[in-house]
Amino acid sequence: MLGSSSILCLVVISACPFLIYGQYSESLCPSQGVSSRCHCTENVIECRNRGLTSLPNFQTSPWPFKRLDLSKNNITYIPARAFEGINVTEIDLSFNMLTGIHREAFINLKKQLNGVDLHNNLLFALPEVLSTLENITKLDVSYNPIPHDNFTDNVMRLIGDWITEFHFGDQDLQQWPHSLHHLAELQFLKFYGGKMDRIPITAFNGFEHTLRKLWMQSTHLIAVPIALQYLHNCNELHFDNNVFVKDAGILIPAFAGMTKTLDTLSLENNSLSTFPPVLRTLVSLHNLSLARNNLQIVSDQAISEVGSNLTTLNLQGCNLDRIPGALSKLSMLKNLDFSYNKITTIEKNDLQAMNHLASLNVSYNPLAYVSKSSFHDLGSLEELVLKNTSLYEVPQAITNLPHLKILNLEQDQPSIECNCDLSWLYCFTKTNNSALTIVGACYTIVLDIGLYVKNDVRTTCPNMC
């Protein structure tokens, strides 16, 4: 039952603009019918995963919602004037069963709608209704069975002056759509899937000077497209899950236009066995991910290919059984991720000359031993993540980390022994590092490691400080 203050807010809406949960969402959310009632917050009309087969009947609401979320339903068609009564700038219709959208579906929103998400539907052509949107900047039609010739010139031309972010592609796409050249303002492009093993050299014509970020993922490509050489202002490239590429497919000429601009490069899961030689040409590269490649051994020669400006390196899931000593050459690294490998020990001479390293992640490894003499060169380390390892004790090597702020020892099955052997850790936190946060649970008692060290060691163990 509504209280008196809530009733007053329903009568005088402007007096209570931030009553957005509870009574507000029940009374002012602009949908009708028990089965289609949506939940509303300050900015979102949320109708996600409601089992809808058609749109709710929206009623006029004075609330200035920003986004309508209709994702993960079973909606098959959007009729004319479907959104009268609401005032949003973004609509999410992803993960439905859409086969068509009426040309006048968005008629009352045509001047304000700037984002439409249609990915994972059953559309066989680019909906003509999109050409009526006068300010659309972001469009996602990925994972719809749209053949290349149904990215129609007329629609692409009419939205080309507005679109800055475009997502497309499907596992059955046979050719690269020629009509993409109409997207003259494009800054972000995401391409998924496709059956083609190469794309035309003219693929990025029309937006080669505007594109800043590019994703090409889960394709059948056998090499990095040569067409990339014309992207002169691209600073971020995600070329991932292209398992047919392999080492020979990372072509140096493809990166010719990005040698001075590329800041972030992801080459995850491309069947690589080593660091690609192209890295030595990318003088502005700061962030590199080679995750989920079968690197096994990282040699001095391989590391010599990497530029000296690299600050973030992701080697997650690369089948490494030890920390490569060659990484000591990357002295400017700040973030290093070794999670999901086969590393069993951290030795004294591992991680040398990494004076700038701030975050180290060795989680999800069968790590059982950390030398007390390790970490000596990690004077700037602030975060050490050792989640789900085989450690039975807190590594005393952390006493070599004067600026450590977070030690994460979380385990699905806690294994750290909490007893008076942790007196050294109490002393370390008391005298050297009072700001240290320890995350993880004790094995022997139902208590967090950090709380045990802070309270129980002090009261029940001999004073070792």
Side-chain angles (χ1 to χ4, degrees):
M1 180 176 294
L2 299 181
S4 58
S5 62
S6 300
I7 293 173
L8 180 61
C9 281
L10 297 182
V11 175
V12 187
I13 296 171
S14 61
C16 304
F18 295 105
L19 183 60
I20 57 177
Y21 298 104
Q23 291 94 336
Y24 171 77
S25 64
E26 291 295 321
S27 302
L28 297 184
C29 202
S31 63
Q32 296 177 332
V34 175
S35 63
S36 63
R37 185 177 291 257
C38 302
H39 172 71
C40 293
T41 62
E42 182 180 356
N43 293 314
V44 181
I45 307 170
E46 198 270 298
C47 312
R48 190 171 189 255
N49 199 21
R50 296 293 200 275
L52 301 175
T53 56
S54 60
L55 292 185
N57 295 318
F58 295 108
Q59 62 188 21
T60 301
S61 170
W63 199 263
F65 295 103
K66 177 182 178 182
R67 185 168 181 265
L68 171 61
D69 186 351
L70 287 158
S71 62
K72 294 192 174 181
N73 285 293
N74 298 305
I75 301 169
T76 58
Y77 184 73
I78 308 297
R81 302 180 179 274
F83 302 101
E84 288 189 342
I86 59 173
N87 183 29
V88 295
T89 57
E90 300 175 11
I91 294 180
D92 186 349
L93 286 158
S94 61
F95 291 96
N96 275 279
M97 302 181 70
L98 287 174
T99 57
I101 303 176
H102 194 279
R103 180 178 171 79
E104 295 187 352
F106 302 131
I107 191 166
N108 65 301
L109 300 174
K110 67 178 184 178
K111 292 184 180 299
Q112 67 193 65
L113 201 60
N114 54 47
V116 180
D117 190 342
L118 298 169
H119 82 271
N120 279 89
N121 276 283
L122 300 174
L123 298 170
F124 287 91
L126 204 62
E128 189 178 357
V129 65
L130 298 172
S131 64
T132 68
L133 302 179
E134 299 175 8
N135 288 290
I136 184 169
T137 59
K138 180 179 179 180
L139 175 62
D140 188 343
V141 292
S142 58
Y143 293 104
N144 282 274
I146 305 175
H148 71 282
D149 50 356
N150 278 356
F151 289 86
T152 52
D153 268 302
N154 183 50
V155 175
M156 295 293 273
R157 178 176 55 80
L158 290 171
I159 66 175
D161 289 338
W162 308 105
I163 291 289
T164 59
E165 182 170 344
F166 185 58
H167 305 195
F168 81 105
D170 178 70
Q171 60 267 24
D172 294 322
L173 188 66
Q174 300 280 352
Q175 295 183 41
W176 187 265
H178 172 72
S179 60
L180 262 65
H181 74 272
H182 290 298
L183 306 180
E185 301 297 323
L186 198 62
Q187 296 180 31
F188 306 90
L189 177 62
K190 296 189 177 184
F191 167 59
Y192 307 99
K195 285 190 172 180
M196 70 283 283
D197 61 7
R198 65 201 71 209
I199 65 173
I201 198 163
T202 57
F204 306 120
N205 280 9
F207 50 88
E208 61 268 49
H209 297 292
T210 62
L211 199 69
R212 299 292 186 271
K213 302 181 190 299
L214 173 63
W215 284 256
M216 305 188 78
Q217 299 176 321
S218 304
T219 73
H220 283 206
L221 296 174
I222 58 175
V224 177
I226 291 294
L228 265 66
Q229 66 180 308
Y230 298 111
L231 300 179
H232 297 293
N233 293 298
C234 186
N235 54 46
E236 191 170 321
L237 173 62
H238 298 263
F239 191 76
D240 305 320
N241 303 317
N242 305 299
V243 296
F244 301 108
V245 171
K246 304 181 180 179
D247 295 322
I250 309 298
L251 305 176
I252 292 179
F255 293 83
M258 297 183 283
T259 55
K260 296 181 180 180
T261 61
L262 198 63
D263 174 82
T264 298
L265 175 62
S266 180
L267 297 172
E268 297 184 4
N269 193 29
N270 289 328
S271 305
L272 304 182
S273 65
T274 188
F275 282 60
V278 70
L279 297 175
R280 68 172 176 263
T281 70
L282 307 176
V283 297
S284 298
L285 191 66
H286 288 94
N287 308 298
L288 173 65
S289 180
L290 295 173
R292 295 178 293 124
N293 286 292
N294 190 23
L295 300 182
Q296 293 187 329
I297 298 175
V298 179
S299 65
D300 288 347
Q301 180 179 356
I303 293 299
S304 67
E305 306 289 0
V306 184
S308 59
N309 294 319
L310 201 67
T311 57
T312 297
L313 178 60
N314 183 356
L315 296 177
Q316 184 183 112
C318 287
N319 205 31
L320 299 169
D321 58 11
R322 62 182 180 84
I323 293 178
L327 292 180
S328 62
K329 297 180 181 295
L330 304 178
S331 59
M332 299 304 292
L333 277 182
K334 294 182 179 180
N335 306 288
L336 183 55
D337 190 343
F338 286 117
S339 57
Y340 295 95
N341 278 289
K342 299 178 180 179
I343 298 168
T344 57
T345 65
I346 298 178
E347 303 292 346
K348 175 182 177 180
N349 295 324
D350 292 338
L351 303 166
Q352 289 184 318
M354 292 190 176
N355 300 317
H356 294 88
L357 198 66
S359 176
L360 174 63
N361 190 344
V362 198
S363 301
Y364 297 93
N365 278 273
L367 182 67
Y369 171 76
V370 179
S371 169
K372 293 180 182 180
S373 302
S374 59
F375 303 151
H376 267 295
D377 288 342
L378 306 185
S380 299
L381 198 73
E382 297 182 353
E383 180 183 40
L384 177 59
V385 187
L386 300 172
K387 295 174 60 176
N388 284 296
T389 65
S390 299
L391 292 172
Y392 287 91
E393 57 185 21
V394 180
Q396 291 195 35
I398 69 167
T399 58
N400 300 322
L401 304 172
H403 298 292
L404 190 65
K405 295 180 180 179
I406 298 174
L407 174 61
N408 193 329
L409 295 164
E410 283 185 293
Q411 308 280 340
D412 291 339
Q413 299 294 326
S415 60
I416 300 294
E417 297 279 355
C418 288
N419 52 42
C420 287
D421 289 341
L422 287 178
S423 294
W424 67 267
L425 185 53
Y426 169 74
C427 296
F428 174 64
T429 57
K430 180 182 178 182
T431 60
N432 298 294
N433 202 331
S434 59
L436 177 62
T437 298
I438 303 173
V439 182
C442 299
Y443 167 66
T444 45
I445 55 176
V446 183
L447 196 65
D448 288 339
I449 299 170
L451 288 176
Y452 177 83
V453 170
K454 181 179 179 180
N455 300 321
D456 290 41
V457 169
R458 178 174 57 85
T459 58
T460 62
C461 299
N463 189 352
M464 305 294 291
C465 300

